[in-house]
Amino acid sequence: MDLKYAERMKQIKGVETREIMRFMGKHDIISFAGGLPAPELFPIEELKQIAVRVLEEHGPAALQYMVTEGYLPLREKIAQRMGKMGVTVSVDNILIINGAQQGIDFSGKLFLNPNDVVICAKPSYLGAIAAFRTYQAQFVGISIDNNGMKLDELENVLATTSNVKLIYVTPDFQNPTGLTWSAKRREKLIEIANKYNLPIIEDNPYGELRYEGEKINPIKSYDTEGRVIFLGTFSKILCPGFRIAWICADKDIIKKYVLIKEPADIQCNSMTQREVTLFLEEYNIDAHIEKIIKFYRQRRDVMVKMIKEEFPPEAKYSIPEGGLFIWVVLPEQVNARTLLEKAQEQKVAFVPGGSFYPNKDQENSMRLNFSNMPEEKIIEGMKRLAKLLHQELKN
Amino acid sequence: MDLKYAERMKQIKGVETREIMRFMGKHDIISFAGGLPAPELFPIEELKQIAVRVLEEHGPAALQYMVTEGYLPLREKIAQRMGKMGVTVSVDNILIINGAQQGIDFSGKLFLNPNDVVICAKPSYLGAIAAFRTYQAQFVGISIDNNGMKLDELENVLATTSNVKLIYVTPDFQNPTGLTWSAKRREKLIEIANKYNLPIIEDNPYGELRYEGEKINPIKSYDTEGRVIFLGTFSKILCPGFRIAWICADKDIIKKYVLIKEPADIQCNSMTQREVTLFLEEYNIDAHIEKIIKFYRQRRDVMVKMIKEEFPPEAKYSIPEGGLFIWVVLPEQVNARTLLEKAQEQKVAFVPGGSFYPNKDQENSMRLNFSNMPEEKIIEGMKRLAKLLHQELKN
């Protein structure tokens, strides 16, 4: 049987990290592939008490339908947290969504006609590229350096490209490179977006996980005209299994996202939204984040040490000030996809860098996650990778 | 600031039941509007124990990322339940989604190009019409009678309409009419869909809530070529706040839905999926459904009695054998939208029938929900509505 699918399906293929995840489920593997938090840090005891309390105190309301916008006290709490990041907003600026990924998908739905152009960093989060592709987007990738996106390159592209409909950025500890934008670049991006009247999707899953250096407020805090659509999430600071995240944007833009969410899936989980709210009310999430930071900083340091000591000197990398990933650029003759196949035989996984380029590019890079594996596995896995790399460079 | 939105946004407007829900949140109103289950029946005590047990027995896995397809033991349980409905399937035929609404949305994404035609009953579930509209669908509505969709009318349409891409049906206790298809019509629909090589989306949220008459298996059970995409949900038999539902389809079609779900929102809630599974394992959901049936049958009977005794005889209705709704057709001069405004002043809500027509039609009808309100409120609300109707007919 051969049904007629929509045109967009021709552009949709599996998201590589999810494919690797499926592989992981089947094997005892050391994985630097996913962006998974450390399971040791999930506040299980607290969430156990919270689940019981939510059902006792909220009763059936915790299990019933609710408004699409989300649970009001949660939106209030989030608006307050945004305030601490220099973004002054109210509940009308917040919509609760099923993971920040849904915010990316809805942004594609809101802004993109087929063949519209999305501007993003080169490389960028592969899940975002995949989501925009489902709306038949074209991509123009802009180079990045240690201070963020190269904005003169961006200006050149905007001056010469028609149909650009949105700019997608991850300014904090970017996935996959770990790079962070300077305050100056953030401010400058707003100027450019104002000039070209473009919305900016600021994807910020790791912003609160800074291990060193000075805190820089989100691009949204520099927004002068309400064109930044900020995506935040509890996935990396509480747990990803709950699928609770938010969009923070101008209130008229939020209304459009609500119109998209209604027919897409009606609302987020009524009980989980209350659980997250009670966690924020009764426990100190900032202390919890401090704990995560200490833990991940240590894992990052172990991974960096292993690269320094074991990897061939031709492997270039930079030390991320936060987030979950280290980006390694290998000599040009090394194809990371081929390397992955060999690594999987050795029961080690990572994501080949080529997957993060919207258009084909740099196959000689790899993204390494350091948050998920315990130190002894990081050490062992990195040794195996180093061995493969040395062999690769000998060939 | 005036951003450029996608073309599709021109066709997207609020889903009427959600608008009414927002109104409800603010007032002490007797609502026959939403399709809300009776909150008294949510198994709160059981779910409290289950939440604790899931966290104790599954630990961090209940809070971590998992595969997009969903929690394997839940998919197994669902495959078994499908078997009891005469649909023999395995886990490969099941994808877990955030409410059946997401299954409708994903079906639009999978099959529809702009201006493609969706065939549906006239009237149909307004959330489905809204979801398909976001993919810029056109609609052809087919009349229904007491045995289901009029299939000779369907055949005429298919023979003369190009670009038909899918058939959307709710054969059991249809929303909004409460009508149920005969076995013969189900079988015949498969023949027609086979002939025209069309997928059938069988939306089945209420199938297990039958108050009288003989059980009829889903259209999926008559499927000879794997073209029926069945949407099931726990919203009406457990609770809607959990947002746990499923797609049951041919395994190659399920793979396409997985490709859509990955970039849309990655996966459903890891903990809630386990909670539902444990409920299915440890408690008797069929006994729970029996309890719901007894309860709702009583509420239906009270509402029917009130219509019979209080409504003007010009109001026509049929008694649904199951589900959540009674459909009332009023004399042609009555506009149900105007009536709703007056009813809201009297703190009673319902959904005007016109909202359920993909193209403008029958404004003189109303959908009444009987599952959500206790008997005394049904009696009081129906009295108020009856009074308004008598006034309306005098004018």
Side-chain angles (χ1 to χ4, degrees), chain A residues 8 18 63 66 98 241, chain B residues 8 18 63 66 98 109 241:
Chain A
R8 67 179 68 82
R18 305 299 294 172
L63 304 170
M66 63 182 295
N98 288 330
Chain B
R8 67 179 68 81
R18 303 301 291 172
L63 304 170
M66 63 183 293
N98 289 329
K109 208 167 191 174

Side-chain angles (χ1 to χ4, degrees), chain B residues 194-212:
Chain B
N194 284 350
K195 181 173 160 194
Y196 288 91
N197 189 28
L198 288 171
I200 298 167
I201 312 298
E202 180 179 23
D203 190 12
N204 195 312
Y206 325 109
E208 304 211 54
L209 302 180
R210 176 177 278 281
Y211 315 134
E212 61 188 275

Side-chain angles (χ1 to χ4, degrees), chain A residues 134-179:
Chain A
T134 68
Y135 298 96
Q136 297 161 279
Q138 302 294 323
F139 297 87
V140 176
I142 309 287
S143 314
I144 42 177
D145 62 24
N146 282 331
N147 290 311
M149 193 178 262
K150 290 185 178 172
L151 297 183
D152 43 352
E153 191 178 321
L154 172 65
E155 285 234 56
N156 282 339
V157 166
L158 291 178
T160 55
T161 313
S162 60
N163 277 352
V164 174
K165 289 295 279 299
L166 65 84
I167 301 172
Y168 170 82
V169 291
T170 312
D172 291 79
F173 325 123
Q174 197 233 17
N175 179 358
T177 62
L179 294 176

Side-chain angles (χ1 to χ4, degrees), chain B residues 30-31 55 60 63 103 117 135 193 210 223 260 294 371:
Chain B
I30 298 177
S31 179
L55 286 170
L63 304 170
V117 172
Y135 299 97
R210 176 177 278 281
D223 192 5
I260 288 174
K294 220 174 138 187
S371 60

Side-chain angles (χ1 to χ4, degrees), chain B residues 99-351:
Chain B
Q101 186 69 39
Q102 188 171 58
I104 301 172
D105 177 67
F106 285 178
S107 300
K109 208 167 191 174
L110 179 56
F111 291 109
L112 299 177
N113 294 320
N115 299 312
D116 277 348
V117 172
V118 171
I119 299 277
C120 61
K122 189 169 68 171
S124 274
Y125 168 49
L126 79 184
I129 296 169
F132 293 135
R133 260 198 227 293
T134 69
Y135 299 97
Q136 297 161 279
Q138 302 294 323
F139 297 87
V140 175
I142 308 287
S143 315
I144 42 178
D145 62 23
N146 282 331
N147 289 312
M149 193 177 262
K150 290 185 177 171
L151 296 183
D152 43 353
E153 192 178 320
L154 172 66
E155 285 232 58
N156 282 338
V157 167
L158 291 178
T160 56
T161 313
S162 59
N163 277 352
V164 174
K165 290 296 279 295
L166 65 85
I167 301 172
Y168 170 82
V169 290
T170 312
D172 291 79
F173 325 122
Q174 197 232 17
N175 179 358
T177 62
L179 294 175
T180 297
W181 292 39
S182 67
K184 213 168 154 186
R185 288 273 174 98
R186 294 173 195 232
E187 210 173 342
K188 178 72 182 160
L189 179 69
I190 294 292
E191 275 173 38
I192 296 172
N194 284 350
K195 181 173 160 194
Y196 288 91
N197 189 28
L198 288 171
I200 298 167
I201 312 298
E202 180 179 23
D203 190 12
N204 195 312
Y206 325 109
E208 304 211 54
L209 302 180
R210 176 177 278 281
Y211 315 134
E212 61 188 275
E214 210 179 321
K215 193 182 135 187
I216 305 169
N217 279 334
I219 292 175
K220 178 77 187 150
S221 72
Y222 298 91
D223 192 5
T224 51
E225 299 180 353
R227 64 177 64 255
V228 179
I229 294 153
F230 177 98
L231 307 178
T233 178
F234 290 101
S235 288
K236 307 304 187 290
I237 57 173
L238 183 57
C239 65
F242 273 4
R243 316 303 304 126
I244 299 290
W246 68 92
I247 302 174
C248 172
D250 175 86
K251 70 182 191 337
D252 290 329
I253 298 179
I254 286 289
K255 278 183 194 160
K256 303 238 177 233
Y257 279 101
V258 171
L259 289 181
I260 288 174
K261 188 163 174 70
E262 279 178 0
D265 68 355
I266 303 183
Q267 58 160 97
C268 290
N269 190 313
S270 307
M271 176 153 167
T272 312
Q273 289 188 68
R274 284 176 169 82
E275 290 174 310
V276 173
T277 310
L278 196 55
F279 186 87
L280 295 172
E281 283 166 2
E282 299 284 305
Y283 297 89
N284 185 342
I285 195 165
D286 294 310
H288 183 65
I289 292 171
E290 276 307 311
K291 209 168 113 184
I292 297 172
I293 286 174
K294 220 174 138 187
F295 209 79
Y296 288 1
R297 185 195 288 124
Q298 176 67 13
R299 289 187 173 180
R300 177 199 65 169
D301 291 347
V302 170
M303 188 173 267
V304 167
K305 186 166 170 281
M306 290 305 293
I307 296 177
K308 214 178 258 175
E309 291 176 2
E310 305 277 340
F311 273 29
E314 296 92 330
K316 303 297 174 203
Y317 65 98
S318 57
I319 302 174
E321 293 188 332
L324 308 185
F325 306 108
I326 296 175
W327 179 250
V328 181
V329 179
L330 305 163
E332 276 193 22
Q333 73 267 31
V334 183
N335 181 306
R337 292 183 203 273
T338 319
L339 188 72
L340 175 63
E341 284 167 28
K342 293 175 187 169
Q344 286 184 332
E345 284 167 22
Q346 304 297 318
K347 302 200 171 215
V348 184
F350 60 85
V351 185

Side-chain angles (χ1 to χ4, degrees), chain A residues 113 259 284 297 376:
Chain A
N113 294 320
L259 289 181
N284 185 342
R297 185 194 290 124
E376 65 277 13

